[in-house]
Amino acid sequence: MAQYIYGKNMVQQLLKDNKKIDVLYVLDNQKDIEQAGRKKGIRIERVDRKHLDKLAEGGNHQGVIAKVEEYKTVSIDQILSTIPEDKLGFLVMLDELEDPHNLGAILRTADAVGVDGIIIKKNNAVGLTSTVAKVSAGAIETVPVADVTNLTQTLKQLKDKGYWVVGTDMKNAQDYRQPKYDTPIVLVIGNEGKGISRLVKEECDFLVKLPMVGEISSLNASVACGILMYEVYNKRFPL
């Protein structure tokens, strides 16, 4: 199944990375991208704005859309096999995250801090969509993503391999700055509204929370995840 990646920066990055593009849909004023595509032998179709609006499903396409193959997920074993023996593994599990903007933002930060892979649920959760690709700013290509049927069983398997599972919650949790994060870690981020499911929470070795001193009681999932990812990095690579 094909996917449509839109926006000038995203399409230019695809061209730069030599990502296989089946078709480039462009408005007449996209001469530079059209020329770059022709040099690579990519089929170009000049279309009107209405056609692009339909392909982008209302997204800000900026006059250019690339039709590409569907983004592929990998297995947990494939992720683990890429982690160097002298590196403490760092995985992020998303428990039924729904917003593609959150997943894209998490991928972008995960790339920045060197997360080894993201784990998502195969059903009842956002997948690797064109919106995720655009928000990730290219990180969808650099951070491997595994989709699994059962998050709880996946955590059990990772714990058997020496991983400690860190959940996020406001109750019965310690300040996120307290742990040392000096073991292989799976950081679990819950659903935007419901948080971490009960069965997944039961597999957590400990829970952490972010201090909230204002009137708002919670943070956006991708913001909270970003803070926690950088805290793990900070503890592992202190100044």
Side-chain angles (χ1 to χ4, degrees):
M1 182 178 176
Q3 286 189 331
Y4 296 96
I5 307 302
Y6 54 86
K8 290 181 182 179
N9 290 338
M10 194 64 204
V11 172
Q12 286 171 338
Q13 189 63 45
L14 293 178
L15 291 166
K16 181 180 177 182
D17 294 342
N18 292 316
K19 170 81 174 176
K20 186 178 184 301
I21 298 174
D22 296 325
V23 186
L24 270 178
Y25 300 96
V26 299
L27 294 179
D28 285 341
N29 61 353
Q30 299 300 323
K31 302 298 184 184
D32 291 344
I33 290 179
E34 181 177 337
Q35 185 177 19
R38 291 192 187 283
K39 284 183 179 179
K40 293 180 179 292
I42 298 169
R43 189 172 121 215
I44 308 293
E45 288 193 16
R46 290 185 179 179
V47 295
D48 58 23
R49 186 171 296 278
K50 185 177 180 181
H51 187 76
L52 293 181
D53 290 343
K54 183 178 179 181
L55 292 179
E57 298 180 340
N60 183 21
H61 52 71
Q62 299 174 306
V64 58
I65 295 178
K67 180 181 178 182
V68 301
E69 292 181 354
E70 186 176 22
Y71 283 102
K72 301 291 193 301
T73 56
V74 299
S75 70
I76 295 292
D77 286 339
Q78 284 176 299
I79 292 177
L80 296 179
S81 68
T82 65
I83 304 174
E85 290 186 7
D86 60 347
K87 182 181 187 294
L88 292 175
F90 185 13
L91 306 174
V92 174
M93 175 179 282
L94 306 176
D95 187 1
E96 296 192 4
L97 207 70
E98 297 175 351
D99 188 341
H101 295 87
N102 277 333
L103 178 53
I106 288 170
L107 280 166
R108 187 171 184 173
T109 308
D111 175 86
V113 302
V115 167
D116 298 298
I118 304 288
I119 304 168
I120 61 176
K121 196 172 182 183
K122 189 165 290 188
N123 302 308
N124 302 319
V126 65
L128 300 182
T129 67
S130 56
T131 300
V132 172
K134 182 173 176 59
V135 176
S136 79
I140 196 171
E141 298 277 3
T142 62
V143 181
V145 178
D147 60 344
V148 300
T149 303
N150 191 311
L151 297 180
T152 303
Q153 289 301 316
T154 299
L155 288 177
K156 289 181 185 292
Q157 294 164 9
L158 289 168
K159 289 169 78 170
D160 287 342
K161 296 178 184 294
Y163 279 79
W164 283 61
V165 182
V166 182
T168 48
D169 199 15
M170 291 304 292
K171 297 179 180 179
N172 303 315
Q174 58 184 300
D175 189 287
Y176 79 105
R177 294 165 290 185
Q178 286 182 271
K180 295 181 179 179
Y181 305 110
D182 57 356
T183 64
I185 289 291
V186 183
L187 173 64
V188 183
I189 301 296
N191 171 273
E192 290 91 345
K194 299 177 293 184
I196 298 176
S197 58
R198 179 181 61 83
L199 292 176
V200 169
K201 189 180 294 184
E202 289 177 358
E203 292 301 322
C204 293
D205 293 296
F206 58 91
L207 300 172
V208 296
K209 63 181 179 181
L210 296 167
M212 303 291 295
V213 299
E215 298 297 323
I216 308 302
S217 61
S218 64
L219 289 173
N220 173 279
S222 62
V223 172
C225 187
I227 294 170
L228 294 169
M229 284 190 282
Y230 263 103
E231 179 63 14
V232 174
Y233 180 88
N234 179 52
K235 286 292 173 59
R236 293 181 174 183
F237 302 99
L239 289 176

